[in-house]
Amino acid sequence: MNKARILVTGGTGYIGSHTTVELINAGYDVVIIDNLSNSNREVLDGIEAITGVRPAFVEADCTDAAALRKLFEDYPGIKGIINFAASKAVGESVQKPILYYRNNLNTLMNLLELMPEFGVKGFVFSSSCTVYGEPDVNPVTEASPIKQATSPYGNTKQISEEVISDFVRSGAPISSIILRYFNPVGAHPSALIGELPNGVPQNLIPYLTQTAIGIRKELSVFGDDYNTPDGSCIRDFINVVDLAKAHVIAVERLIEDKTETPIEIFNLGTGNGVSVLELINTFESATGVKVPHKIVGRREGDIEKVWANPQRANEVLGWKAETPLADTMKSAWKWQLALRERGIM
Ligand code: NAD
Ligand code: WQD
């Protein structure tokens, strides 16, 4: 028997597709809305191949309130929303701030506004460790200070958290779990779904795997003169399937009314800081594939080091990142090989 019906916005995207798989595996009835601005319809085939279930799919834009309203009418009884739909390229957001504010904030406000009318109680929001900026102390807890955003993208996450909080405080009959992801990486172990970067990847792992397979000549390591043991930046790389599982727990907690306060915030990370150079080494030893790389200058706007204290998620949600980084690197490589086999890149 199906559990509750859940709306997943951005469900054909990277994290949304992995979360849809985990929701279906847990028995939920998933409806996806995506405008396919950064994903494609074939992702539904991957989800179906893994789970044996094809989720309902609505191709529409969440900034279109009328389309959203129709979705709630066509799919009655939605109990929770997981809101992944957003534009997420930090550099692009500096070039096109209005696009980012409009897409990310109008999506959020449309969803929130329709929730009471359609009796939807729970809202899970994809936030980011970007809200902590360059932390004074690592690892960061949920109580660590929020720093001035360094990009319009980052600012949309900070503003979104405030919009959710103000809406809940106004007495709206909803509750929300805000999840602050660190650096999601890897792919489903089946290699049937994964991350599909658009154009030249800006993020480390897709650039690394594309270099390993020969699409890119070499990976540039942005800086080895940071105040870290090997001089390269430190991040908390979290396996995307582990991350997806946290969403199932979060949405269940909301639907079953188990939250301690109407808004809860959780860091989703491993708790381990890993440097860029360590990550390259881990990839090479896990896969046996060399990654040509060279050290270049720092990338403007980069944070030197940030990693999570995930204790609150561990204890309150009963969730823990468990996939070893080597396995995550293997999954990223397997996905890159699958993309070549399928003639995608
Ligand atoms: P993604 O681009 O792969 O997925 C987002 C999906 O939303 C895409 O399929 C896109 O087509 C869709 N979308 C965008 N705007 C839409 C709209 N207006 N209406 C309908 N669909 C729309 O990104 P992702 O990596 O899966 O990220 C998911 C969420 O997690 C985003 O909110 C992102 O900001 C957040 N996040 C991502 C990371 C990361 O490193 N990947 C880290 C922290 C937070
Ligand atoms: C990781 C490290 C780079 C590419 C971004 C967003 C953040 C969050 C996650 C959404 C850095 C280094 C990278 C390359 C490199 N997203 N690097 N060579 O910058 O930690 O975070 O994604 O919320 O908001 O800013 O991720 O993967 O771009 O970089 O050396 O070709 O890898 O300098 O130290 P980042 P990333």
Side-chain angles (χ1 to χ4, degrees):
M1 221 210 41
N2 268 337
K3 290 194 197 169
R5 176 170 277 175
I6 307 294
L7 176 63
V8 178
T9 78
T12 46
Y14 174 45
I15 306 170
S17 57
H18 289 81
T19 300
T20 297
V21 163
E22 297 307 317
L23 286 166
I24 293 173
N25 284 343
Y28 285 97
D29 174 17
V30 177
V31 180
I32 290 176
I33 178 170
D34 203 298
N35 63 3
L36 304 180
S37 56
N38 198 36
S39 57
N40 61 60
R41 205 176 274 279
E42 285 72 60
V43 172
L44 298 168
D45 301 334
I47 294 170
E48 186 176 4
I50 296 169
T51 63
V53 175
R54 195 171 186 87
F57 177 67
V58 176
E59 182 181 345
D61 197 307
C62 296
T63 63
D64 178 350
L68 269 183
R69 173 178 295 281
K70 181 163 185 326
L71 183 153
F72 284 113
E73 285 164 359
D74 290 347
Y75 294 92
I78 289 170
K79 294 280 182 265
I81 299 174
I82 308 183
N83 181 31
F84 294 106
S87 304
K88 66 160 181 178
V90 175
E92 186 188 48
S93 80
V94 177
Q95 305 303 321
K96 302 175 182 168
I98 301 300
L99 186 153
Y100 273 67
Y101 286 113
R102 180 174 286 136
N103 196 40
N104 297 3
L105 298 176
N106 286 355
T107 289
L108 173 71
M109 292 188 291
N110 282 343
L111 289 166
L112 291 178
E113 201 164 41
L114 285 166
M115 285 177 70
E117 189 181 331
F118 288 91
V120 188
K121 181 81 209 313
F123 190 75
V124 180
F125 182 70
S126 301
S127 191
S128 166
C129 67
T130 189
V131 302
Y132 300 116
E134 182 76 63
D136 302 322
V137 179
N138 276 296
V140 290
T141 72
E142 293 79 359
S144 296
I146 301 297
K147 296 277 177 73
Q148 170 83 46
T150 54
S151 72
Y153 166 75
N155 207 19
T156 69
K157 293 300 175 192
Q158 295 194 3
I159 296 170
S160 294
E161 291 196 4
E162 288 173 359
V163 169
I164 296 167
S165 153
D166 286 346
F167 190 54
V168 168
R169 221 175 291 141
S170 76
I174 71 160
S175 41
S176 179
I177 294 184
I178 292 172
L179 300 175
R180 293 178 179 159
Y181 315 153
F182 283 66
N183 286 57
V185 291
H188 194 270
S190 65
L192 289 163
I193 53 171
E195 187 173 11
L196 265 181
N198 221 337
V200 181
Q202 305 301 309
N203 296 116
L204 178 59
I205 288 298
Y207 205 104
L208 185 159
T209 57
Q210 289 191 11
T211 305
I213 209 166
I215 297 173
R216 314 273 158 211
K217 200 166 125 274
E218 64 189 344
L219 170 70
S220 295
V221 174
F222 298 138
D224 69 347
D225 57 352
Y226 284 100
N227 181 24
T228 60
D230 66 20
S232 65
C233 294
I234 294 181
R235 296 289 182 273
D236 186 334
F237 299 99
I238 163 88
N239 179 280
V240 68
V241 176
D242 288 347
L243 187 75
K245 288 177 177 164
H247 293 74
V248 180
I249 298 171
V251 86
E252 200 149 88
R253 186 171 168 86
L254 287 165
I255 290 174
E256 292 176 358
D257 237 341
K258 288 188 174 149
T259 57
E260 286 157 6
T261 49
I263 295 194
E264 293 182 331
I265 300 181
F266 297 99
N267 283 343
L268 296 182
T270 66
N272 300 318
V274 172
S275 78
V276 172
L277 290 170
E278 281 172 336
L279 190 79
I280 296 171
N281 281 334
T282 306
F283 179 89
E284 290 183 337
S285 51
T287 62
V289 180
K290 286 281 164 211
V291 182
H293 59 278
K294 63 162 189 251
I295 311 289
V296 301
R298 295 182 176 195
R299 180 171 73 176
E300 203 192 322
D302 263 337
I303 303 299
E304 179 172 274
K305 43 183 183 271
V306 58
W307 68 96
N309 177 338
Q311 194 181 346
R312 190 171 138 74
N314 298 164
E315 289 173 1
V316 179
L317 296 181
W319 168 89
K320 202 169 189 320
E322 42 198 26
T323 310
L325 188 57
D327 290 356
T328 303
M329 291 301 102
K330 280 185 199 156
S331 74
W333 179 232
K334 193 174 166 190
W335 169 243
Q336 187 67 62
L337 292 170
L339 287 175
R340 182 169 67 185
E341 246 165 58
R342 287 158 55 188
I344 295 172
M345 60 177 68

